[in-house]
Amino acid sequence: MTKKQVFVTQPTLPPLEEFIPYLQKIWESKILTNGGPFHQDLERELCKYLGVKYLSLFTNGTIALITALQTLRITGEVITTPYSFVATAHSLLWNGIKPVFVDIDPDTLNLDPEKIEAAITPQTTAILPVHCYGHPCDVAKIEKIADTYGLKVIYDAAHAFGVKLESGSVLKYGDLSVLSFHATKVFNTFEGGAIICHNEKTKVRIDQLKNFGFVDEVTVVAPGINGKMSEFNAALGLLQLKGINKAIQERKIISEQYLAGLDNVKGVRCLSDSGEKVSNYSYFPILIQPDYPISRDALYQKMKDHGIHARRYFYPLISYFPMYRGMTSASPSNLPVAKRASDQVICLPIYPALQLSEVDQIIEIIRGR
Ligand SMILES: *Cc1c(COP(=O)(O)O)cnc(C)c1O
């Protein structure tokens, strides 16, 4: 018998039979896209669920990021983190913007606000931080710097679906926030994404940009893109939303089991929260310290040999890839904290269908038994 393989994540799906009536509606109406009824419903329902005023759905998170930068007409240089998924920095290159990498905070692994000011030049126009693993950035400090220097702030909130601070949704901070609804994320529409903004005028501009720049049948005001979410994905989103609280609760139980099992294991550091009131338990990163008996990569391989496919998010750093490597700010000496985290991190499997017995098995492997 082959051993069951466990992956870092497994997409959450609603019961198939519950999706059929949605599909029937699409087939009957023959409205497949272009802001149809499911698209409108999902925008409304997500605003309610997330506690935000304006949200525009997108075909995926990367197109949403690229469009967010277009929305605010960002140019020149943008300060960002090397410790993220490549799409964060790629969205800048797709806009002809130069990414300037700044090191991360050793506790949260988010952009270190203390290091932002030194990277600002006359060309800097914005900051693009990431709420890494759904742990909120230091939004107050980042806002203060942005206000002082007249910079825009766009949060890559791809990991931060449903995350709340004492003051409410983390998505309320910055000029814009971008979500991803990719299959691997906490809330998925197979592929999908969204931009959150704070006023009607910006929402109108975003909606024009995601629809080729059309204002009406005969007027095009910008070189827009096709970023529209289809009715199929929007319908799926409406159904997924019904199960989201249960899914997050199941993730929470797994997270707590890991925390209890890995507490006081020498050389293993579980990344703590960073002040959120409501977490989404999207990832469970651990950092393998030098006093752990074997190397990070040896543990990674050992888990693989047991059929546990954890992932080294985020290794390598974005700044390591050839299209970034030559930039001054990409030098490892500029990014020692990010480099160390990237060399130490393993994200453990976490998803609603993961069995608690499997969690125990993973804990045992890490404890070296
Ligand atoms: C998933 C992800 C993206 C890209 O989102 P897609 O919907 O896959 O295009 C961007 N940034 C981060 C941090 C991500 O994790």
Side-chain angles (χ1 to χ4, degrees), residues 120 195 297:
I120 297 173
I195 303 180
D297 288 346

Side-chain angles (χ1 to χ4, degrees), residues 43-59:
E43 285 195 348
R44 209 168 26 239
E45 292 301 317
L46 282 173
C47 280
K48 252 195 262 169
Y49 180 81
L50 296 169
V52 298
K53 274 215 174 103
Y54 301 95
L55 178 147
S56 297
L57 291 171
F58 274 79
T59 177

